[in-house]
């Protein structure tokens, strides 16, 4: 395999506390990275770098791991422009808007859905996202959920079955029958294409008993739980996530002391999605409270057409710093290593020998500029699995 030396990196975030400044970021100055095939072979000071077949001069730019976007909804059709405009005029956000996207998604062809997915993946890659998770949830029939996951699985290993997004309109008067569908024939069709099972445990969606049934059935088919939890108000979602051993509880906007304590004591990652709060004018999650309590925090986009139509992790980093109490370094860690933990991955989200060679360079001297210069397209080069993509 050929090797590439990326050298003269002014400031490199490795997320390896054993190198550099010894912090969780493992910040290394005047650094270099050697890539061999899809993996990182060496990391260290530029003046000690080994020879390689090719050399790329970073010219003092900051480097960091590729972003790990551990929560998105990218298999859909249509948009909800009018709903967004109405919210900006004062109408509150509610889970029921999902049904608008369901109608458009059901009407779309497979090629249309896949083209839309590829479009947003390209957007995300140009902004530094090298690993992403995405969900079904906009079909809500056996055939439409299965095809969403089948399409997604052609582009990522991190595929989530979310038949329990909301109750399908055909079952509005019989939610128990819909839960039976989600945990029976729909699960049978979808499980072969997915790694994860998710449920929207929220008012207007599924209560604790219904959500537990969905997660238990998914786990019995080998899918690992995730939970949309505590977005619209205090509720049972976080406690259910910890109880079921979920990899992540996502949103975590409204938390009790008991919720924070449960997250701190368990292995469930709190995935925060500031794009949703920005788009719905909701209360910001208190990331500082979670971080100080010892909870593992991830940052993700929640890219979807209704409540967070952004594919930009840098934008979410800036929001987390400005409005959620994280430092720039903590926000970058949450968007890289934190996202990897939410996906139970050790081969992404860090720059260390053996990890995938997923990294990016900024047109800036420090990762701090991601929050310091919000809205500026700072990502200048992106490598994914050793191949330069941007």
């Amino acid at each position: 395999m050929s090797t590439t030396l990326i050298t003269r990196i002014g400031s490199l975030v490795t997320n390896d506390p054993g190198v550099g400044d010894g912090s969780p970021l493992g910040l290394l100055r005047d650094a270099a990275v050697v890539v061999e095939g899809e993996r990182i072979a060496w990391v260290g000071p530029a003046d000690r770098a080994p020879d390689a077949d090719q050399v790329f001069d970073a010219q003092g730019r900051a480097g960091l791991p590729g972003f790990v976007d551990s929560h998105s909804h990218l298999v859909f059709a249509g948009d909800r422009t009018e709903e967004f405009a109405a919210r900006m005029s004062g109408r509150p956000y509610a889970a029921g808007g999902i049904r608008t996207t369901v109608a458009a998604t059901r009407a779309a062809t497979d090629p249309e859905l896949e083209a839309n997915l590829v479009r947003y993946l390209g957007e995300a890659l140009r902004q530094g996202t090298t690993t992403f998770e995405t969900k079904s949830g906009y079909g809500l029939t056996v055939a439409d959920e299965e095809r969403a996951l089948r399409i997604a699985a052609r582009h990522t290993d991190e595929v989530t079955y979310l038949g329990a997004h909301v109750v399908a309109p055909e079952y509005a008067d019989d939610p128990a029958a819909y839960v039976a569908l989600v945990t029976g024939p729909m699960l049978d069709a979808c499980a072969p294409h997915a790694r994860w099972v998710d449920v929207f445990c929220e008012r207007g969606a599924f209560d604790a008993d219904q959500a537990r049934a969905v997660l238990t059935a998914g786990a019995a088919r080998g899918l690992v739980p995730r939970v949309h939890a505590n977005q619209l108000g205090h509720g049972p979602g976080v406690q259910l996530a910890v109880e079921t051993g979920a990899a992540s509880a996502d949103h975590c906007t409204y938390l009790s002391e008991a919720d924070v304590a449960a997250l701190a004591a368990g292995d469930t990652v709190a995935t925060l999605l500031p794009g949703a709060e920005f788009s719905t004018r909701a209360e910001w999650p208190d990331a500082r409270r979670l971080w100080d309590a010892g909870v593992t925090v991830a940052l993700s986009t929640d890219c979807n057409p209704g409540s967070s139509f952004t594919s930009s992790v840098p934008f979410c980093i800036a929001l987390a710093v400005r409005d959620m109490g994280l430092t720039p370094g903590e926000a970058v860690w949450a968007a890289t290593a934190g996202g990897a933990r939410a996906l139970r991955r050790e081969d992404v989200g860090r720059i260390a020998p053996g990890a995938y060679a997923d990294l990016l360079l900024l047109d800036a001297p420090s990762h701090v500029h991601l929050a310091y210069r919000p809205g500026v397209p700072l990502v200048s080069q992106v490598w994914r699995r050793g191949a330069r993509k941007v």
Side-chain angles (χ1 to χ4, degrees), residues 103-114:
T105 302
R106 288 179 177 181
T109 65
D110 285 17
E112 287 169 341
L113 291 177
E114 187 156 20

Side-chain angles (χ1 to χ4, degrees), residues 331-348:
V332 165
W333 188 96
T336 51
R341 291 197 186 184
L343 296 176
R344 294 185 173 171
R345 298 277 296 270
E346 295 184 353
D347 55 354
V348 296

Side-chain angles (χ1 to χ4, degrees), residues 196 215 224-226 239-248 267-268 344:
W196 310 97
L215 298 177
V224 182
R226 323 182 70 79
Q239 296 289 337
L240 179 64
V242 175
E243 171 197 325
T244 58
S248 66
D267 295 325
T268 299
R344 294 185 173 171

Side-chain angles (χ1 to χ4, degrees), residues 27 42 155 170 188 194 230 239 274 346 360 369 373 380:
L27 199 62
W42 182 90
H155 299 275
E170 298 86 353
D188 292 339
N230 299 55
Q239 296 289 337
E346 295 184 353
L360 57 94
H369 281 237
R373 303 193 68 207
S380 59

Side-chain angles (χ1 to χ4, degrees), residues 229-271:
N230 299 55
Q231 176 188 6
L232 305 180
H234 292 282
V238 165
Q239 296 289 337
L240 179 64
V242 175
E243 171 197 325
T244 58
S248 66
D250 298 29
H251 287 289
C252 293
T253 309
Y254 296 91
L255 299 179
S256 67
E257 289 300 324
D259 293 333
V260 175
L263 289 166
D267 295 325
T268 299
V269 174
T271 299

